[in-house]
């Protein structure tokens, strides 16, 4: 989203509204020398650039990476292959960071923050596991417990997006148990974290597929469970979509 303020030149032709900045060439300001305040609303153009939803990619990445890491915790992948698992989930960091950036551009702070958080968690997990850093298990345990708090806070604001809310309700105990496993090393906690990770992957896979079908068909094909302002955003008219746009991040002066 870009903000551009433009003025008509002497021939009445308006410059390209995608060029940011306020142009004030000599002789073109109708209020120059009059002491009158310029009409900023008439001068300002706010350009929105539609994008394809990045959320299916984000959810598919959560699903695939969770299956890989959970398979290690459940013993489906031999513990001797921990480094290979770590290198595999490193791609999740790259993809989810991309999803986060695109979601910020689409003005969805909840989705962007969540995907950015997952990206950071995958990166830390991959680096610590691949290097077999001393005390890595305990450090990852603390990180996972902290991520539990992050997921709980995200769940408290994500309820209007029901499928995302359900995903977070599973992520909270999954990362909590994983944190306890990292600190204690108890094998049964690792298996419990792995089982919850598989459940998390299943919900993430469903969410990705449902959102992708919705994008393709232009309507809700599978249950997503939007409510409140989130549902209004999907069905409201253009005027309602742009309501209070001037006070949103990227337009207002400060974050």
């Amino acid at each position: 989203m870009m903000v551009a303020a433009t003025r008509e030149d002497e021939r009445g032709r308006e410059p390209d509204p995608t060029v940011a900045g306020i142009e004030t060439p000599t002789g073109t300001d109708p209020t120059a020398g009059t002491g009158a305040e310029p009409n900023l609303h008439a001068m300002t153009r706010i350009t929105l650039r539609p994008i394809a939803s990045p959320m299916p990619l984000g959810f598919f990445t959560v699903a695939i990476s969770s299956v890989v890491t959970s398979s290690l915790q459940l013993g489906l992948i031999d513990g001797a292959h921990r480094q290979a698992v770590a290198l595999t989930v490193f791609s999740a960091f790259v993809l989810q960071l991309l999803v986060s950036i695109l979601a910020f551009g689409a003005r969805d702070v909840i989705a962007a923050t969540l995907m950015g958080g997952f990206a950071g968690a995958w990166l830390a997990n991959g680096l610590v596991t691949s290097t077999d850093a001393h005390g890595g298990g305990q450090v990852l345990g603390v990180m996972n417990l902290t991520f539990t708090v992050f997921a709980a806070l995200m769940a408290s604001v994500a309820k209007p997006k029901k499928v995302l809310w359900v995903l977070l309700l599973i992520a909270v105990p999954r990362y909590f148990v994983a944190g306890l496993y990292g600190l204690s090393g108890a094998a049964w906690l690792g298996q419990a974290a792995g089982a919850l990770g598989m459940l998390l992957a299943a919900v993430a896979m469903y969410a990705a597929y449902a959102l992708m079908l919705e994008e393709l068909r232009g309507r809700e094909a599978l249950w997503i469970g939007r409510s409140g302002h989130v549902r209004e955003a999907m069905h409201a008219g253009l005027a309602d979509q742009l309501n209070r746009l001037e006070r949103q991040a990227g337009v207002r002066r400060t974050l």
Side-chain angles (χ1 to χ4, degrees):
M1 179 172 61
M2 301 175 61
V3 180
T6 62
R7 297 180 182 176
E8 294 186 356
D9 60 20
E10 293 178 345
R11 292 169 294 179
R13 184 174 59 191
E14 186 173 341
D16 185 358
T18 63
V19 180
I22 299 180
E23 299 182 2
T24 55
T26 304
T28 63
D29 187 354
T31 63
T34 65
E37 291 292 332
N39 186 350
L40 296 180
H41 283 84
M43 295 164 51
T44 303
R45 301 290 183 270
I46 299 175
T47 303
L48 302 179
R49 295 182 175 178
I51 63 172
S53 174
M55 293 308 293
L57 174 61
F59 283 129
F60 273 131
T61 303
V62 170
I64 296 170
S65 299
S66 293
V67 167
V68 174
T69 56
S70 296
S71 295
L72 178 64
Q73 292 171 325
L74 290 170
L76 301 177
I77 296 177
D78 192 278
H81 306 319
R82 291 172 55 86
Q83 189 175 29
V85 170
L87 294 174
T88 300
V89 301
F90 180 76
S91 61
F93 156 70
V94 178
L95 291 175
Q96 295 208 263
L97 179 62
L98 173 63
V99 171
S100 177
I101 294 172
L102 292 174
F104 275 119
R107 301 183 296 151
D108 192 331
V109 67
I110 295 177
T113 303
L114 178 64
M115 290 298 151
F118 271 117
W122 292 128
L123 176 62
N125 197 302
L127 289 176
V128 171
T129 304
S130 64
T131 59
D132 197 20
H134 180 68
Q138 292 184 338
V139 173
L140 288 179
V142 173
M143 187 201 73
N144 285 329
L145 289 177
T146 307
F147 194 90
T148 302
V149 178
F150 165 75
L153 292 175
M154 293 297 299
S156 69
V157 298
K159 196 170 183 179
K161 299 182 176 185
K162 291 294 190 299
V163 70
L164 178 59
W165 183 61
V166 172
L167 181 81
L168 288 167
L169 289 183
I170 300 171
V172 169
R174 185 260 186 274
Y175 281 95
F176 179 72
V177 174
L180 294 180
Y181 169 63
L183 292 176
S184 67
W188 69 272
L189 285 174
Q191 293 177 345
L196 288 169
M198 288 295 188
L199 180 59
L200 179 70
V203 175
M205 192 76 72
Y206 170 86
Y209 185 66
L211 289 173
M212 190 167 57
L213 278 182
E214 182 180 70
E215 288 290 315
L216 290 173
R217 298 183 182 181
R219 58 181 175 82
E220 187 173 308
L222 296 175
W223 179 84
I224 296 176
R226 294 186 180 92
S227 62
H229 69 277
V230 175
R231 181 173 180 81
E232 292 174 4
M234 294 299 296
H235 301 284
L238 182 60
D240 294 325
Q241 295 283 349
L242 301 182
N243 186 34
R244 296 174 58 85
L245 183 62
E246 62 195 42
R247 293 182 176 84
Q248 294 188 9
V251 180
R252 64 177 187 258
R253 184 174 181 178
T254 178
L255 294 177

